[in-house]
């Protein structure tokens, strides 16, 4: 299935293990072995998740032969954030209404 | 497959037709027929997308027998935005570095 870039990003993020990998990379580069450590998961299973993240351009991998460090690539996350901006007023209006309601019942 | 709420939201959003439906609902309530109109798509196909959005709590549907208007429910989008916040500094740092680089080469 060929997806548009935003759909590819969102599909890659729709997995708790892949989001946990990104959270770990948020602190800096990691090897595949380091990334696999906290998960009860085989290296091939982690590699599969990394491939999905790499295809979605959410991570970049070094080219060293032995150690191919993974690095967070934040641009697609920024694109998701930009897409979400058009809906911001909707949830903010809801929060404003809730706040007003709470004020009203307190009086 | 049973997904956590954030994964369910992201998976529902990973489709251009479903995002286009949400964009249309951003302007107000719509009937299924109104939502189907701009897409070269059958009503059952649109209904299937609406079910995915409803399951992800991204839309709510009225209970009128004939006309069941669809309405945007923005809370899950807010949760995606909150999750993204932890990565904001990453893309902002990248933009700052790019800006600095452009300044440097202009001198």
């Amino acid at each position: 299935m060929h997806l548009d870039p935003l759909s590819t990003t969102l599909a890659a993020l729709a997995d708790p293990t892949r989001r946990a990998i990104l959270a770990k990379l948020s602190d800096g580069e990691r090897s595949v072995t380091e990334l696999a450590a906290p998960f009860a998961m085989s290296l091939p299973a982690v590699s599969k998740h990394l491939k999905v993240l790499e295809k979605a351009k959410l991570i970049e991998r070094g080219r060293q032969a032995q150690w191919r460090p993974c690095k967070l690539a934040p641009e697609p996350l920024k694109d998701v954030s930009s897409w979400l901006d058009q809906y911001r007023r909707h949830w903010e209006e809801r929060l404003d209404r809730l706040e007003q309601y709470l004020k009203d019942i307190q009086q």
Side-chain angles (χ1 to χ4, degrees), chain A residues 1 3 5-15 18-19 52 56 58:
Chain A
M1 191 167 53
L3 292 174
L6 188 53
S7 297
T8 304
T9 305
L10 291 162
L13 296 175
D15 181 281
R18 289 198 288 269
R19 291 198 304 278
V52 176
L58 283 160

Side-chain angles (χ1 to χ4, degrees), chain A residues 1 16-17 22 31 34 40-41 43 60 63 68 81 83 85 95 97 101 103:
Chain A
M1 191 167 53
T17 305
L22 291 181
S31 70
E34 285 173 309
M41 222 182 240
L43 279 182
E60 288 161 2
R63 292 289 152 202
R68 297 189 58 204
S81 180
W83 175 78
D85 278 344
L95 284 174
R97 280 202 299 274
Y101 171 74
K103 270 185 196 158

